[in-house]
Amino acid sequence: MAYASSTEPNNQRITAPYGSWKSPITADFVSGAEKRLGATAVDDLGRLFWLESRPLESGRNVLVRAPEKPGDGCIDITPKEFSVRTVAQEYGGGAFRIVGDTVIFSNYKDQRLYKQSIQSGDSSPLPLTPDYGGPVVCYADGVFDSRFNRYVTVREDRREDHLNATTTIVSLNLNEHNIQEPEILVGGNDFYAFPRLDPKGERMAWIEWGHPNMPWDKSELWVGCFSENGDICKRICVAGGDPAIVESPTEPKWSSKGELFFITDRGSGFWNIYKWIESDNKVLPVYSMNAEFSRPLWVFGISSYQLLQSREQTNLIACTYRKNGRSSFGVLDEVHSTLSPLDIPFTDINNITSGFHCLYIEGASAVCPLSIAKVTLDDTKSKVIDFEIIWSSSADSSKYKSHYSLPELIEFPTEVPGQNAFAYFYPPTNPNYQPSQKEKPPLLLRSHGGPTAEARGVLNLAYQYWTSRGWAIADVNYGGSTGYGREYRERLLGRWGIVDVNDCCSCAKFLVDEGKVDGERLCIAGGSAGGYTTLAALAFRETFKAGASLYGIADLKSLVAETHKFESHYMDKLVGSEEDYFQRSPINFVDKFSCPILLLQGLEDKVVPPDQARKIYHALKEKGLPVALVEFEGEQHGFRKAETIKFSLEQQMVFFARLVGHFEVADDITPIKIDNFD
């Protein structure tokens, strides 16, 4: 079965084994090309700003201003000695906010808040919060309060206990020119997010939740009124307070008329947009649909919808929603309860930001990398009249379009009768090569992190690195993934290490049975929670022939004792009893491993401490299995440096090629030493 597609006749292609094909999509290109997008914002003059993470600058986060006129270049706002990033809840997000000609941002190195003029990249940031002698107090998701001239933000205070930080909503007086200790506005619960002020500055909405819940399990939406001196004087729970209703409200926004909108998943289990009827303290759905209008709150500051003003002064809502593995963009009419889908090239959409007479949308597709597009609607907001890419995470990626493998959304049966799961399948694709007719490709199955997250069928240059060399990739949305509603997400409750592992194995078996991949060359890889699924699949099943765990979990029990506050009770619901923790930890069953494993780990990882990888490494080495461990200085949870990304990609490729591939890679890669093999 020859997957290589091309407009050229077959007789002009080179016949070579899968995995051995030459490709212009090099590890250097992948590691240096893909910038990460932190957030977008628009200032009072309508100028677009975005936060980009640069692998070639060791993952430094830089605030960038878009060109003011065609032909101009982008302008870096952040000085080279600064990096705009917060580590609140470890995963960060919501690291800056712009008002007027000023940006307030979190600086990565010390986690202090700074203010800086956005008029010139030469202006020096000035600290606003105290220096505590280290990055022990973090801030995120801030907003300006014009009534009291202050900055309201979520604060995570680790001074007393690094693993059990105190989280509050605080305010910082901007009238003062001296560095000051913020004042607490709201506290007492474990976590807070989305402090949002109404247009008059009279009320504030926010989201809060407490252990053992994650924000997508159960959360509460509150509204508090400000007193004359700026304190919260009275408050009301808008959603999430009724024990008879299971819901996780998120993303509150105020309209220009002071109406409160938000997203919740009561009833159907799908995140839909709702409105608070303040006079009756009731909430009503704006539009009901079995689709997700938001996503899990892993990072602060997500924005899945924007309120628009129409000629009739009714609320129109520009929104993104996800159904059956595909994102759509549309406009909701609140009065008529109608949703009008609008056609744009993105098939995957993250955040929406309001501009002057336009929207800025963060999105991607199977052939377009993560980008920011300027979208202009007609006067009735019912039609897209212009779509322009303003920024791309990989501006040069289109030159390799002929080598791209397009993802196929597949649905496959799980071990539970009548219950299916989903994956994206990327067949090997290279216009210059074809395999022998008898050969089937090796498979690299990817298990995503989270585990409350989702594989999304968008252009991933790392995946194209594999497929253009003759590998097939399956990116699995096992039970527990998001994008399919609460019921699908909760398949994993009490069954982490079972459902995800079974679904990954079922997907691989399905692809073998369909004749799409070689059943003797099945490999699995994943990072973080996906690394755990990888290790569990290798320990407790015999489906895969080799695996790679990137900052993966080996010992569930020790992880609970060592991980950060945000996820410290996450596994209470995912695992279960003490016995379950033991039985599902791969480290306790090293005797069951029977195939080679590559372990890649950052030494500054606060989510999955390096000791997890070391334990597995030493145990497998002692058992006599082929194993290699690579530890990276200066890397945290998820690799950000170009040199780390490149090295990890190349070593996974050559590791699998040497141990299960039965082919020589075309690239000149010096392999690392594999214990019990070299």
Side-chain angles (χ1 to χ4, degrees):
M1 184 178 292
Y3 285 107
S5 60
S6 173
T7 55
E8 302 172 16
N10 277 357
N11 59 14
Q12 293 185 17
R13 295 205 203 120
I14 302 166
T15 299
Y18 283 119
S20 68
W21 303 346
K22 290 183 180 179
S23 170
I25 305 174
T26 65
D28 274 311
F29 178 72
V30 173
S31 62
E34 284 200 279
K35 299 174 183 176
R36 297 185 185 182
L37 181 61
T40 54
V42 173
D43 71 0
D44 294 347
L45 300 176
R47 297 177 300 183
L48 174 68
F49 295 75
W50 62 84
L51 184 63
E52 65 180 42
S53 173
R54 298 173 176 173
L56 293 176
E57 296 182 36
S58 297
R60 188 171 79 95
N61 289 279
V62 181
L63 186 64
V64 180
R65 191 175 79 203
E68 294 199 32
K69 55 182 184 287
D72 289 355
C74 298
I75 298 171
D76 284 5
I77 301 298
T78 308
K80 290 192 179 300
E81 62 272 23
F82 287 83
S83 178
V84 181
R85 181 182 165 201
T86 176
V87 295
Q89 293 185 180
E90 290 302 332
Y91 299 107
F96 75 95
R97 185 72 66 173
I98 293 174
V99 70
D101 63 354
T102 300
V103 59
I104 290 182
F105 68 90
S106 293
N107 181 43
Y108 172 59
K109 187 175 181 180
D110 56 14
Q111 288 298 293
R112 298 171 72 185
L113 286 179
Y114 288 77
K115 70 175 179 179
Q116 179 195 359
S117 168
I118 57 175
Q119 297 306 320
S120 168
D122 298 329
S123 61
S124 297
L126 299 173
L128 293 173
T129 53
D131 181 356
Y132 300 111
V136 291
V137 178
C138 317
Y139 305 89
D141 211 7
V143 291
F144 284 90
D145 180 352
S146 58
R147 179 183 171 195
F148 294 101
N149 192 27
R150 60 186 179 176
Y151 191 62
V152 177
T153 181
V154 175
R155 179 179 71 177
E156 185 178 89
D157 189 342
R158 308 177 181 183
R159 281 175 288 181
E160 291 188 10
D161 188 344
H162 186 82
L163 293 179
N164 190 28
T166 301
T167 305
T168 51
I169 298 175
V170 300
S171 66
L172 197 65
N173 189 340
L174 297 178
N175 292 319
E176 300 288 338
H177 297 293
N178 298 324
I179 294 169
Q180 58 186 288
E181 188 76 33
E183 295 184 8
I184 296 175
L185 291 176
V186 181
N189 212 333
D190 290 310
F191 303 99
Y192 294 91
F194 294 111
R196 299 294 183 261
L197 277 64
D198 73 7
K200 295 181 179 179
E202 296 175 346
R203 297 166 297 173
M204 180 175 75
W206 69 87
I207 299 294
E208 63 178 67
W209 67 99
H211 288 317
N213 293 309
M214 297 300 282
W216 49 83
D217 293 326
K218 199 173 192 308
S219 58
E220 297 174 355
L221 167 61
W222 286 80
V223 170
C225 297
F226 289 121
S227 65
E228 288 301 314
N229 64 2
D231 294 330
I232 297 288
C233 59
K234 54 183 178 180
R235 61 187 73 188
I236 186 170
C237 185
V238 172
D242 185 346
I245 300 175
V246 178
E247 62 178 326
S248 50
T250 185
E251 292 198 58
K253 291 182 192 287
W254 297 93
S255 75
S256 59
K257 294 183 286 187
E259 303 160 304
L260 181 63
F261 291 82
F262 64 100
I263 295 176
T264 192
D265 60 345
R266 60 171 57 191
S268 70
F270 287 87
W271 277 310
N272 286 187
I273 300 177
Y274 281 72
K275 180 181 179 180
W276 180 41
I277 310 302
E278 186 175 2
S279 57
D280 301 324
N281 190 28
K282 290 182 178 178
V283 298
L284 296 176
V286 174
Y287 187 81
S288 298
M289 185 181 186
N290 283 352
E292 300 280 43
F293 283 73
S294 187
R295 58 191 191 278
L297 204 164
W298 278 107
V299 298
F300 290 101
I302 59 179
S303 180
S304 306
Y305 70 103
Q306 287 291 342
L307 301 169
L308 308 173
Q309 284 300 126
S310 67
R311 285 178 170 178
E312 293 77 22
Q313 298 300 304
T314 57
N315 284 316
L316 297 179
I317 304 171
C319 57
T320 174
Y321 52 99
R322 195 151 178 80
K323 188 172 186 177
N324 298 330
R326 180 187 172 95
S327 293
S328 296
F329 169 64
V331 172
L332 263 174
D333 184 327
E334 181 220 339
V335 173
H336 300 99
S337 191
T338 57
L339 174 61
S340 303
L342 300 178
D343 188 31
I344 61 174
F346 291 155
T347 57
D348 191 278
I349 302 168
N350 290 325
N351 296 310
I352 303 175
T353 300
S354 290
F356 282 16
H357 312 296
C358 68
L359 295 165
Y360 292 102
I361 299 180
E362 302 169 24
S365 73
V367 294
C368 175
L370 179 62
S371 304
I372 303 170
K374 180 181 180 182
V375 178
T376 307
L377 306 179
D378 65 2
D379 289 343
T380 64
K381 308 292 189 282
S382 61
K383 185 179 179 182
V384 174
I385 58 175
D386 191 45
F387 180 93
E388 178 189 2
I389 298 290
I390 302 295
W391 174 90
S392 172
S393 60
S394 180
D396 295 334
S397 60
S398 60
K399 64 185 178 183
Y400 300 131
K401 194 172 179 179
S402 65
H403 287 74
Y404 289 166
S405 175
L406 302 182
E408 305 165 11
L409 180 62
I410 62 171
E411 186 173 351
F412 59 90
T414 69
E415 291 200 356
V416 178
Q419 195 177 82
N420 289 353
F422 305 89
Y424 292 99
F425 177 69
Y426 298 78
T429 305
N430 189 314
N432 303 317
Y433 286 88
Q434 64 183 8
S436 67
Q437 293 300 310
K438 294 180 180 179
E439 190 188 12
K440 291 185 172 63
L443 172 71
L444 177 62
L445 185 140
R446 295 283 311 186
S447 55
H448 65 67
T452 309
E454 181 184 1
R456 303 170 84 112
V458 298
L459 181 61
N460 182 324
L461 291 177
Y463 288 5
Q464 303 301 330
Y465 173 83
W466 290 87
T467 55
S468 62
R469 284 166 174 73
W471 281 75
I473 280 191
D475 206 358
V476 184
N477 275 320
Y478 48 77
S481 303
T482 54
Y484 302 89
R486 181 181 283 266
E487 184 180 337
Y488 192 88
R489 193 167 73 238
E490 292 187 345
R491 285 185 189 179
L492 209 58
L493 293 185
R495 295 179 61 77
W496 190 30
I498 299 174
V499 169
D500 49 324
V501 170
N502 286 345
D503 287 357
C504 287
C505 294
S506 294
C507 180
K509 182 178 183 300
F510 174 81
L511 292 171
V512 171
D513 291 345
E514 290 286 302
K516 292 181 180 291
V517 299
D518 183 350
E520 295 303 311
R521 293 189 290 175
L522 303 177
C523 300
I524 183 170
S528 189
Y532 166 68
T533 300
T534 294
L535 292 172
L538 296 172
F540 305 127
R541 303 290 188 278
E542 296 181 353
T543 304
F544 300 98
K545 307 301 180 183
S549 169
L550 291 76
Y551 37 91
I553 302 156
D555 186 345
L556 296 174
K557 191 63 181 173
S558 66
L559 181 71
V560 172
E562 296 173 333
T563 197
H564 58 126
K565 181 184 177 184
F566 179 57
E567 294 183 85
S568 60
H569 290 269
Y570 189 19
M571 287 183 287
D572 291 2
K573 292 189 174 185
L574 291 176
V575 182
S577 68
E578 289 283 328
E579 181 64 15
D580 291 327
Y581 275 91
F582 182 86
Q583 292 293 336
R584 295 189 212 160
S585 292
I587 192 64
N588 299 325
F589 297 93
V590 176
D591 59 308
K592 294 192 175 184
F593 281 101
S594 58
C595 66
I597 299 177
L598 173 63
L599 302 154
L600 303 165
Q601 177 70 43
L603 287 176
E604 294 183 15
D605 195 333
K606 299 292 195 302
V607 179
V608 180
D611 192 49
Q612 296 261 321
R614 290 174 188 151
K615 283 182 179 178
I616 281 285
Y617 167 70
H618 289 301
L620 295 182
K621 182 180 177 182
E622 188 175 331
K623 190 187 177 189
L625 283 175
V627 63
L629 168 63
V630 183
E631 298 181 322
F632 300 99
E633 294 277 358
E635 287 287 9
Q636 297 178 304
H637 197 64
F639 300 148
R640 294 172 177 270
K641 298 179 181 180
E643 58 268 28
T644 308
I645 297 167
K646 175 192 175 184
F647 189 85
S648 298
L649 200 53
E650 290 184 334
Q651 292 305 325
Q652 286 179 77
M653 172 71 72
V654 76
F655 183 87
F656 292 143
R658 295 179 71 199
L659 290 156
V660 299
H662 311 306
F663 56 80
E664 292 287 331
V665 296
D667 305 85
D668 183 16
I669 302 171
T670 303
I672 56 173
K673 180 179 181 295
I674 302 172
D675 290 294
N676 301 320
F677 183 76
D678 290 319

